[in-house]
Amino acid sequence: QVQLVESGGGSVQAGGSLRLSCSASKSTNGIDCMAWFRQAPGKEREPVATFNRDGTTAYGASVKGRFAISKDGVENTLYLQINSLKPEDTGIYYCAADSKKHYCWTDDYRNWGQGTQVTVSS
């Protein structure tokens, strides 16, 4: 079990940038999968980016080239750098982690943060 706390959300204009942080309560080095999900108003939660144990990353088609996921193993923190923000990026962004997970893209994670709101205005 690991506790996750997100931060860094806010309100920005289209074209702006944000860096989201997810602080874990213990070392992330042995965790199979960490990920960022988002839930837009009225929509289901969707994966945005994932970070595998071996450092492999994956991105959703709508964010590829604009978002970058990274992990600091020393600080036990997962980051999501969000650039060229669009209004459709608005939503609550959640951090997730699972120490025993085969497919990082599916949302059956055992550990979730409380979420951080990102609002993008046009």
Side-chain angles (χ1 to χ4, degrees):
Q1 192 81 349
V2 57
Q3 281 72 50
L4 305 169
V5 179
E6 302 98 333
S7 61
S11 297
V12 297
Q13 289 191 327
S17 298
L18 286 171
R19 189 173 83 152
L20 308 184
S21 299
C22 170
S23 179
S25 61
K26 63 181 186 181
S27 175
T28 61
N29 291 329
I31 292 178
D32 278 349
C33 295
M34 296 192 76
W36 288 97
F37 286 74
R38 71 182 177 192
Q39 187 165 22
K43 295 187 177 181
E44 293 189 356
R45 187 170 58 194
E46 62 174 353
V48 172
T50 62
F51 194 103
N52 203 340
R53 174 197 285 262
D54 64 3
T56 303
T57 59
Y59 297 92
S62 64
V63 307
K64 203 167 187 179
R66 299 188 298 121
F67 289 18
I69 189 171
S70 61
K71 187 165 74 74
D72 185 329
V74 175
E75 297 294 331
N76 299 330
T77 302
L78 184 74
Y79 298 101
L80 185 68
Q81 178 67 41
I82 310 176
N83 299 322
S84 303
L85 276 159
K86 303 176 181 180
E88 51 264 42
D89 294 320
T90 293
I92 301 174
Y93 284 69
Y94 297 92
C95 174
D98 201 314
S99 59
K100 297 294 182 184
K101 195 176 190 319
H102 190 62
Y103 297 108
C104 297
W105 202 249
T106 56
D107 68 354
D108 54 335
Y109 282 78
R110 291 180 290 174
N111 304 287
W112 292 87
Q114 82 290 348
T116 186
Q117 177 72 45
V118 172
T119 303
V120 185
S121 58
S122 58

